[in-house]
Amino acid sequence: MSPRPRFVSRLTIARNAALGAVLRPFQWFSPNTQLVFGFSTLVVLTAALLVKTPPALKSIWLVALAAGSYLIVWRFVTHHASRVSLSISTRRAFALVGSAILVETAVMRVGFALANAIAGESTHAPFDNAVIWNFAIPFAAASLLVTMLIDRQLGMITGVIAAVFSGVLAPNLTQTVLFALISSAAASYGIKRYRERQSITLAGLVVAAVNAVTALVLFVSLQPASTFRSVLLATGCAFGNGLLTIILAAGGVPINESLFGILTDIRLLELSNADIPVLRELAVRAPGTNQHSHAVSQLAEDAARAIGANALLARIGSLYHDIGKVAAPDHFVENQTGSNPHDQLRPVQSAKIITTHVNYGLKLAKEIGLPKQIADFIPQHHGTRTLHFFLRKAQAQARRGETINEAEFRYPGPKPQFKEAGILMLVDSAEAAARSLAHPDPESIRAIVTRIFEAVISDGQLEECDLTFRQLTQIREAVITSLTAIYHPRIDYPGFNVDADEDAQHRTGGVSYEKASDVPINPAGEVEDEAIPREP
């Protein structure tokens, strides 16, 4: 037996163990206790950054300001999460926004100190004017970071709170708050979707351009006696502000992605790399499963796009949904080239092997640090469905008086919890069924896809995800169209065409069916080719 392949380096294993040891004490407290502790920490640290002079009794208002600001953030995050599906939990979103505001406050505190120091060391105008150097402080970095990682509305509230804090730190309150607000708005609305690394650069350049214009208007309006050199320096500092925003946001994205478990489009695209060890091992050990996963990923992407769901998440989740099959690839029909190993096993043993690929897949996902949103596809694409054909086989073979435990023939679940997982459940069965057809013509494909959708719905597997009947119809039509395009009729070249039966066997791993009604689809909507004996 070949040794189990290593999917992560020893350094990664050691790092994960050290991180787990550091975070373990926090797990001793309830979530509410953790929230109160985190909220209090943010308030105290922020108030400490806002104090200009040694703390005094009158500084208590800064504590109240920080507490009120973070309370507004918490209320806004919870309200926003009730209306929009965020990529992370409400508590994590608040933690990200709060930490971004805290770091931004620290950057502003340092920035104002540097501006005063540079102005104090300069002896010639306009370099001795601290107001001009203040334009170089990257007020919008936190806003841009939150916008890229979560969404625009939370990015904007981050910018508003940061602007309020900038007014406390700055000597010229009105000018600084206006400039910080406009800069943050440019950052929030200057980026559409974070799908390319250059998106940060483009957003930063938008911020730089808006900053330059804003600085020009504010400086000329509020300081009428300004010279051309001072206006030019103020505009240059404001433009440099945008470049500093790019640097801080670009550096903060990977840190916060990992720290808060955020799955950006960039991270999703990185996970599609075929050189990732687990995907490479799947291609080598289970080529049929690998081919099936790629076909399903395309179907899932098309179906998700048809209803406005996250098409990229559906595609990447589909690539990893069957990674657990690397443990016993020859026990799954798509990897079989000859006899069926299940013919020599008891039905309960076969069911155990089939369902265990879910548990092993979750184990692999944890080992390689797969994001939770992707790992959730592994158990949810099977839901709590029963392996009906193996169950009936066991009941037929049972001795008189022997009781068969149905739970041993059921997947552990849970049922799909979000749209993309529900889509994967449907297209996974549809692709397997269409691949089993010897002659996958449009009529057969439509009949078999409709049959699968009806079975999945009747089994109640989609009760916990928010797919509507209208969306299910749109998904069904998209899947039928995509499968018809994949298995479209080929031009007949006499003497050069592969025999239809041979082509069907190549696609299905040696199992094919002439009619759609012959494909072994169980009452839960799954194809159970493994349960069909193939020995004479």
Side-chain angles (χ1 to χ4, degrees):
M1 179 181 293
S2 59
R4 181 185 182 278
R6 184 184 297 275
F7 297 106
V8 292
S9 65
R10 289 186 173 88
L11 179 62
T12 301
I13 295 173
R15 183 195 65 189
N16 292 340
L19 187 62
V22 171
L23 296 178
R24 190 172 294 115
F26 292 95
Q27 299 173 358
W28 298 342
F29 302 99
S30 67
N32 289 334
T33 303
Q34 294 177 23
L35 177 62
V36 171
F37 177 78
F39 186 92
S40 303
T41 302
L42 285 173
V43 170
V44 171
L45 292 178
T46 303
L49 289 170
L50 293 176
V51 174
K52 296 181 181 179
T53 57
L57 185 61
K58 64 180 182 180
S59 300
I60 195 70
W61 78 272
L62 293 175
V63 177
L65 174 65
S69 299
Y70 285 120
L71 183 59
I72 291 173
V73 171
W74 169 250
R75 297 290 297 175
F76 185 88
V77 170
T78 53
H79 173 70
H80 188 59
S82 67
R83 296 168 50 249
V84 179
S85 178
L86 300 179
S87 58
I88 55 177
S89 67
T90 303
R91 294 174 186 271
R92 284 176 179 255
F94 171 72
L96 173 58
V97 173
S99 61
I101 293 173
L102 177 64
V103 173
E104 180 67 47
T105 305
V107 170
M108 292 189 298
R109 177 70 183 263
V110 173
F112 284 120
L114 286 175
N116 290 330
I118 294 173
E121 291 294 325
S122 301
T123 57
H124 301 286
F127 302 102
D128 60 348
N129 189 347
V131 173
I132 294 178
W133 293 110
N134 287 343
F135 285 119
I137 300 172
F139 297 103
S143 180
L144 179 58
L145 177 68
V146 174
T147 300
M148 289 188 299
L149 294 179
I150 309 181
D151 72 356
R152 182 172 289 126
Q153 285 70 30
L154 292 185
M156 194 62 223
I157 192 65
T158 302
V160 169
I161 300 300
V164 172
F165 290 166
S166 72
V168 176
L169 294 169
N172 49 338
L173 185 150
T174 303
Q175 177 178 298
T176 302
V177 171
L178 279 175
F179 182 77
L181 277 174
I182 295 172
S183 183
S184 297
S188 297
Y189 290 90
I191 184 172
K192 291 185 178 180
R193 186 160 186 148
Y194 182 46
R195 298 204 65 166
E196 298 176 342
R197 294 294 183 191
Q198 67 178 8
S199 298
I200 303 178
T201 304
L202 295 176
L205 292 176
V206 170
V207 172
V210 171
N211 284 350
V213 175
T214 304
L216 177 63
V217 173
L218 289 176
F219 194 71
V220 172
S221 301
L222 299 178
Q223 299 194 28
S226 57
T227 63
F228 175 76
R229 290 181 64 189
S230 62
V231 171
L232 187 63
L233 180 60
T235 306
C237 287
F239 191 86
N241 172 331
L243 302 182
L244 288 175
T245 299
I246 295 173
I247 295 172
L248 291 177
V253 165
I255 296 173
N256 287 279
E257 274 182 337
S258 176
L259 190 61
F260 294 99
I262 298 172
L263 195 59
T264 62
D265 286 351
I266 295 295
R267 178 64 177 136
L268 284 171
L269 291 171
E270 290 173 347
L271 289 171
S272 67
N273 187 352
D275 280 336
I276 292 176
V278 70
L279 294 182
R280 188 170 63 242
E281 195 67 21
L282 186 70
V284 172
R285 293 171 62 91
T289 299
N290 181 63
Q291 182 184 24
H292 163 71
S293 295
H294 280 277
V296 168
S297 70
Q298 184 60 57
L299 292 174
E301 183 177 16
D302 293 342
R305 189 174 289 111
I307 65 169
N310 191 330
L312 185 57
L313 175 63
R315 174 160 70 89
I316 305 306
S318 300
L319 292 178
Y320 288 86
H321 78 285
D322 271 343
I323 57 174
K325 290 184 179 181
V326 296
D330 57 329
H331 285 75
F332 298 90
V333 68
E334 66 266 22
N335 301 308
Q336 295 170 3
T337 56
S339 61
N340 184 358
H342 294 283
D343 293 342
Q344 313 301 323
L345 298 173
R346 292 166 47 225
V348 67
Q349 294 173 319
S350 295
K352 179 72 172 177
I353 293 172
I354 297 294
T355 57
T356 298
H357 88 272
V358 168
N359 297 326
Y360 186 68
L362 288 173
K363 181 180 178 181
L364 282 183
K366 183 178 180 180
E367 179 180 330
I368 65 177
L370 204 61
K372 183 180 183 301
Q373 296 96 316
I374 300 298
D376 284 343
F377 281 91
I378 296 173
Q380 292 181 25
H381 84 279
H382 282 299
T384 58
R385 293 190 284 189
T386 300
L387 296 170
H388 289 273
F389 291 166
F390 280 118
L391 175 60
R392 291 173 184 171
K393 187 177 178 181
Q395 291 171 341
Q397 295 177 1
R399 296 186 296 271
R400 180 174 297 180
E402 182 182 358
T403 302
I404 302 299
N405 184 6
E406 185 177 335
E408 295 180 335
F409 296 85
R410 184 180 293 276
Y411 284 102
K415 296 177 180 179
Q417 303 294 302
F418 53 100
K419 290 181 179 180
E420 292 79 7
I423 289 171
L424 177 58
M425 171 179 281
L426 294 165
V427 301
D428 181 51
S429 296
E431 196 282 332
R435 182 164 33 86
S436 298
L437 291 171
H439 307 286
D441 54 85
E443 293 76 17
S444 297
I445 289 174
R446 176 170 291 276
I448 206 164
V449 170
T450 301
R451 183 180 162 196
I452 286 171
F453 274 55
E454 291 175 350
V456 172
I457 295 171
S458 298
D459 198 49
Q461 292 299 315
L462 302 179
E463 293 174 341
E464 298 177 16
C465 66
D466 52 352
L467 286 171
T468 65
F469 283 109
R470 177 183 175 84
Q471 290 175 330
L472 287 171
T473 300
Q474 293 171 327
I475 292 169
R476 185 190 65 199
E477 294 305 313
V479 172
I480 291 172
T481 300
S482 298
L483 285 174
T484 302
I486 292 172
Y487 297 117
H488 66 279
R490 291 168 174 78
I491 299 175
D492 186 17
Y493 294 102
F496 293 92
N497 286 82
V498 178
D499 180 74
D501 292 336
E502 181 182 342
D503 179 58
Q505 290 179 359
H506 175 72
R507 289 198 323 268
T508 63
V511 181
S512 61
Y513 303 92
E514 289 295 327
K515 297 183 296 183
S517 57
D518 294 335
V519 179
I521 299 174
N522 68 26
E526 283 201 289
V527 181
E528 290 189 49
D529 279 352
E530 292 90 354
I532 309 302
R534 265 168 261 148
E535 290 189 353

